Amino acid sequence: MTMHDFFATSPRGLEALLAEELTALGGEQVKAVAGGVHFKGDWLCAARANRCSRLASRILWRLRQTPYRTEQDVYRAAQALPWGQWFDPSQTIKVSVSAQKCPLPSLDFLTLRIKDAICDHFRERTGSRPSVNTEAPDQRIYAFLDARVLTLYLDTSGEPLFKRGLRQVQGEAPLRENLAAGMLMLSGWQTHTEDGLCQPLLDPMCGSGTILMEAAQMALGIDAGSGRRFAFERNRSFPQAEWQAWLAEREQQAPVRRRLPIFGSDKYGDVLKRAQANIEAAGLGDVIELKQCDLLDCRPPASEGVIVSNPPYGVRLGELEALKAWYPQLGHWLKQHFSGWRAYLLSADPELAKTIRLSASKRTVLFNGALECRLLEFKMVAGSNRRPDPQGAPHVPDAD
């Protein structure tokens, strides 16, 4: 069994959870760092991570790590790698470069030099070279440079892993699937309870249904990547027979579909139709219960449970002033109707979050793409969340 070095990228804020997930999937020497997790494993470990991880964005295979000083050093390091062991020149490529404290003047030029190095490698050995495809390449090559060291990676995922292949239609501000999964995990929502079902879950602003679908898949034990293919399947060195045997065994354990206490609603009928279309396409129509309902008219579907939601911040409810008037109603709604529940709300606007007028018991920094957010935890215990000041005005805690 040959061990390799991998790096799993993830939304910032979820690295510790991803490290736990990769350890459970067989990763060794697992180490969380900003933006992802280093781990060691064989090819099947990387394949399992691609198929099963709910939190990773990509699984990158580290090909080489070497000192450099000039652009020519970068070119030589890339050209010397045995690219033909992994793919042939009929496949398309894309090179992406990122850097931190790199002394070289142009990342665009470095990208070009690495691309040239790969193409020259193939041309010298086969007489042909791969073409570049920046939209849907067969092989993605990543380079990272710090002040002194170049690291080259080959992507094993292809399309980002948060693209599950489930969401057929989406709204204007879609929540990435791995961030939705991270929110559910951070909430402590239980996928299995004593009655064999999951803990009741509600998303009263469900949008395209991302949180609901992630929850249903988690509760049913459906692999995150069960509806898609991966770049490692096009790699010449990948053990296809072992992978197919693992897949066959895995798919014999297909979960039984059943109605779960997972509930979603949205004020807008067209939004709810998108959610319904996505849920049906994912084969989860008989698992999740949806209804059209204004949030303020929504009532608890059970005596206790967990709310996980991504409230609007200017897309669906209008401009900021309208939201400032609506957010206090959100806090009042939670206080009046959801005693015994825990609520986890994602906020991209700390000032707006303050207007909920409830004391958050926990704030976790997360990133939805490049957008910095806070996951706010509210434990809805009657009489304990809202504190009036001496003048009788609601207390507004610091939501930063």
Side-chain angles (χ1 to χ4, degrees):
M1 179 178 66
T2 302
M3 299 293 282
H4 302 282
D5 292 297
F6 297 98
F7 183 68
T9 65
S10 72
R12 287 166 59 191
L14 298 180
E15 296 94 343
L17 284 174
L18 176 58
E20 294 176 8
E21 188 179 55
L22 291 171
T23 299
L25 290 169
E28 300 181 15
Q29 299 181 37
V30 177
K31 181 182 178 182
V33 297
V37 176
H38 295 283
F39 69 101
K40 287 182 178 289
D42 62 8
W43 263 115
L44 281 180
C45 177
R48 289 194 301 271
N50 274 285
R51 165 92 177 196
C52 299
S53 174
R54 309 209 73 87
L55 301 175
S57 297
R58 291 187 181 280
I59 309 296
L60 304 178
W61 177 29
R62 194 178 80 187
L63 305 177
R64 187 172 188 182
Q65 194 166 54
T66 183
Y68 77 95
R69 292 182 62 190
T70 67
E71 287 92 347
Q72 189 63 16
D73 293 336
V74 174
Y75 173 90
R76 284 194 292 262
Q79 205 227 14
L81 286 167
W83 299 103
Q85 292 182 14
W86 308 319
F87 60 92
D88 62 59
S90 68
Q91 295 184 346
T92 58
I93 64 171
K94 178 182 178 181
V95 176
S96 300
V97 176
S98 59
Q100 188 173 39
K101 299 181 180 179
C102 174
L104 301 180
S106 172
L107 295 188
D108 288 340
F109 184 65
L110 286 173
T111 303
L112 180 63
R113 292 301 284 153
I114 294 170
K115 184 269 295 180
D116 288 344
I118 298 168
C119 291
D120 290 347
H121 174 97
F122 277 106
R123 188 184 290 109
E124 290 172 5
R125 290 159 178 79
T126 68
S128 59
R129 48 152 288 178
S131 298
V132 172
N133 183 334
T134 59
E135 297 298 321
D138 297 311
Q139 302 290 341
R140 290 173 167 87
I141 297 95
Y142 289 86
F144 175 75
L145 300 95
D146 63 16
R148 293 181 295 178
V149 176
L150 162 71
T151 308
L152 289 164
Y153 299 94
L154 187 64
D155 176 39
T156 72
S157 301
E159 285 293 306
L161 295 177
F162 58 78
K163 295 187 177 182
R164 313 287 201 220
L166 297 180
R167 192 162 58 186
Q168 304 300 307
V169 291
Q170 61 187 31
E172 295 175 292
L175 186 69
R176 289 187 175 181
E177 287 85 340
N178 55 351
L179 180 57
M183 291 166 60
L184 288 162
M185 293 180 191
L186 287 167
S187 76
W189 174 67
Q190 299 175 39
T191 58
H192 295 89
T193 58
E194 292 181 358
D195 61 5
L197 300 176
C198 61
Q199 189 176 19
L201 178 82
L202 171 66
D203 181 357
M205 297 163 280
C206 68
S208 56
T210 303
I211 291 172
L212 301 174
M213 288 189 291
E214 286 297 311
Q217 285 202 321
M218 290 166 66
L220 293 174
I222 300 172
D223 292 343
S226 59
R228 52 162 289 167
R229 304 295 296 273
F230 306 96
F232 66 75
E233 296 174 278
R234 297 188 290 269
N235 191 304
R236 284 177 161 181
S237 66
F238 181 71
Q240 294 288 348
E242 293 177 46
W243 169 241
Q244 292 303 321
W246 183 88
L247 273 183
E249 182 180 350
R250 187 77 172 174
E251 289 172 358
Q252 285 178 357
Q253 306 166 1
V256 177
R257 295 291 200 276
R258 62 191 187 280
R259 177 71 68 180
L260 295 173
I262 298 176
F263 306 93
S265 62
D266 205 282
K267 178 179 180 179
Y268 301 98
D270 57 336
V271 172
L272 206 65
K273 286 179 181 178
R274 287 198 294 267
Q276 188 69 56
N278 288 332
I279 289 167
E280 292 288 348
L284 299 170
D286 56 346
V287 175
I288 299 166
E289 183 175 323
L290 290 179
K291 68 175 180 178
Q292 185 175 352
C293 182
D294 184 283
L295 175 132
L296 301 179
D297 295 326
C298 186
R299 296 295 180 264
S303 60
E304 63 84 32
V306 179
I307 293 171
V308 180
S309 198
N310 179 27
Y313 42 88
V315 175
R316 284 183 286 172
L317 288 182
E319 299 300 326
L320 185 60
E321 291 305 314
L323 286 173
K324 286 181 179 178
W326 180 80
Y327 263 63
Q329 297 180 65
L330 169 61
H332 181 74
W333 170 79
L334 286 170
K335 181 71 173 175
Q336 289 295 110
H337 302 294
F338 283 84
S339 177
W341 283 62
R342 301 193 318 276
Y344 296 81
L345 306 179
L346 191 68
S347 171
D349 186 336
E351 293 303 314
L352 195 58
K354 291 178 182 180
T355 65
I356 295 177
R357 297 176 181 170
L358 295 176
S359 296
S361 52
K362 188 175 181 181
R363 303 173 180 86
T364 304
V365 178
L366 298 173
F367 282 76
N368 188 17
L371 186 64
E372 183 175 341
C373 303
R374 300 287 189 279
L375 182 64
L376 306 176
E377 175 189 75
F378 301 102
K379 294 181 178 179
M380 305 313 301
V381 179
S384 66
N385 286 77
R386 182 173 293 180
R387 301 193 299 273
D389 66 17
Q391 285 74 40
H395 172 71
V396 182
D398 181 10
D400 186 28

